[in-house]
Amino acid sequence: MNRLELTGLTARPSQVWGGIRLVPLVRGTPVEGLRLHREVYAGSEGGVVEVGPRTHYTAYIPHGFVADWSGEGAGTAAYGTQLAAGGGAGSTPPSTLRLPRHRHHRMAKRQPGDRLRFLPLHLALEGYLSLHFGGPSTAWEEWSRQALRDGLSPRAEDAYLGWSVRGLGDALRVFEIHPGQCGVMVYAADALAAAFVVPHPEDYRLLHASLVQDLYGELVHQYAMYGAPVAAFGARIADGPGLDTLAGLRAAAREQEREWSEAHDTLFARELLDTSYSFDRVYRMGSFTLWRFLPPFLRNGAGQHIGETVTDHKGRVAYLKTFRLSEAQIRRGHLLRALDAADWQLARAAVALGATEEELVRRIRAAGFGALLRARGGGPR
C-alpha cells in the first residue's frame, strides 16, 4: 500500500466562499462496520500526549475521535464522550485561549469494547515531528554532544487554527451538507488545504463543524488571507437534441456533474491522490486498519501532505484527514531523509544533495537544526 484509494467517493460541484472552495465528497453507500464519534475535551484544549519513555507531544487538542467497529455505533454515543455547548462553524472564537494541560496516554488507545480513541491530525503531525527524531546514528565528529545525546529534541512546528483561516468558518456555516456526504476537500486559493473523510453521512454531519478546530499550515493561512476570490463552478449545457424534455435536461446536468468530478480528481486533487506515501500502521481494528503516512519530500514544487487514514481490507479509505506542509517543512523533511540515508555523514549527504559540505552546513542551520552541529566552525574539521 503506497497510495490513497478513494473508491466509492464522488466529488460534487464545489461550494465557493471568497478564496475558499469546498468540494463535497459523497458515498453511494456508507462504509459498513465502522462509525466515528467525537470525544470533546471541554476546557482543556492544551494537551500533552505521552508518546514514549521520556517523550511527550504538546499541542492544541480540542477533541479526540473514537472509532467504533462493534456494530453498535449507529445508536450509541462514544464511550467517554463529553457534550459541550457551542462550537459550531458559525460561533465566535474566543479572543484568548487558556490552555490547561489535559494529559493523554498515547496517540491511539483502545477503549472498552471494540473502540479506539485517537487524536485526529495529531497522529500525523507527531509522525512528521518524530521523523529521524533520534538524530545522528553514528557519533561523527561534526555533530554536537547535544545532537548525540538528545537527537532533535525539542522539535516544534507552527500551525494555524481553522478559526484564523479567512473564510473557512463562514463557508462551513453557509453551505448545505449534501445527502450522503461523507467528506470534503478544502481548498484555499485553489491549493488543496485539507481532505477529510468519514465512514457514514451521520458521522460527517456531526463532525462537519469541527474543521474550524483543525490545524492548517502556514501556506494555507497565507493563501486564504491574501489570495483572490476563486471562480465558482457553473454548469453550461449547450443546446441540442434531447433537451426538450425534463428527463433529457436532467441527464445533461448529471453529465456535467460527472465531468466536474473527473476534472476534480485529475486536476485539483492530483497532488494528493497520485503521490506515493510511506505508511506506518498504528492499529488494527477488526477488518480495518489505522495508518499514518508521510510524503516522499520531493523538491519539485508540488504540494505535499501528511495525514492519517483508516482503510478496509481492500485498502479503500473509510477515514482520512490530511495536513498540507509548507515549503519549509518539506525542505526539513527532505534534508532529514538525506542525512539519514547517508548515515549522517556530511560528505555523503552533500554528494547526494549535489552540494558542498559548507553549503549543506548552511542548509542545516537555515532549517533550524543548527544545534545539531559542533559549535567550533559548525562543520567538518
Side-chain angles (χ1 to χ4, degrees), residues 17-203:
W17 184 270
I20 298 295
R21 184 189 301 275
L22 305 180
V23 177
L25 300 177
V26 174
R27 293 189 192 274
T29 56
V31 175
E32 295 184 359
L34 183 69
R35 296 297 300 272
L36 209 61
H37 312 277
R38 186 164 68 139
E39 182 178 82
V40 179
Y41 308 128
S44 299
E45 291 88 354
V48 178
V49 187
E50 299 175 10
V51 295
R54 300 173 58 192
T55 304
H56 299 84
Y57 170 93
T58 303
Y60 171 82
I61 306 176
H63 55 253
F65 283 173
V66 177
D68 184 338
W69 64 99
S70 65
E72 303 172 356
T76 61
Y79 178 86
T81 295
Q82 302 178 36
L83 301 180
S91 303
T92 301
S95 57
T96 302
L97 289 176
R98 294 183 178 180
L99 301 180
R101 298 293 180 89
H102 186 96
R103 302 193 72 86
H104 303 273
H105 182 56
R106 299 180 182 175
M107 285 287 175
K109 186 176 182 180
R110 183 71 176 259
Q111 291 193 338
D114 291 333
R115 296 181 175 91
L116 179 76
R117 188 275 298 149
F118 63 96
L119 302 177
L121 202 56
H122 299 284
L123 192 64
L125 290 168
E126 192 267 332
Y128 172 75
L129 288 171
S130 63
L131 182 66
H132 306 302
F133 187 68
S137 54
T138 304
W140 304 110
E141 63 178 0
E142 294 88 356
W143 306 112
S144 67
R145 290 185 178 181
Q146 178 182 338
L148 299 173
R149 182 183 66 247
D150 301 328
L152 276 64
S153 180
R155 177 90 193 277
E157 293 286 349
D158 294 330
Y160 290 83
L161 191 60
W163 287 116
S164 66
V165 177
R166 184 178 181 181
L168 178 59
D170 289 333
L172 293 171
R173 174 178 54 84
V174 167
F175 294 116
E176 66 179 13
I177 297 175
H178 283 247
Q181 184 170 349
C182 290
V184 66
M185 296 278 202
V186 180
Y187 295 84
D190 277 343
L192 180 59
F196 179 46
V197 173
V198 296
H200 197 282
E202 292 181 12
D203 300 342

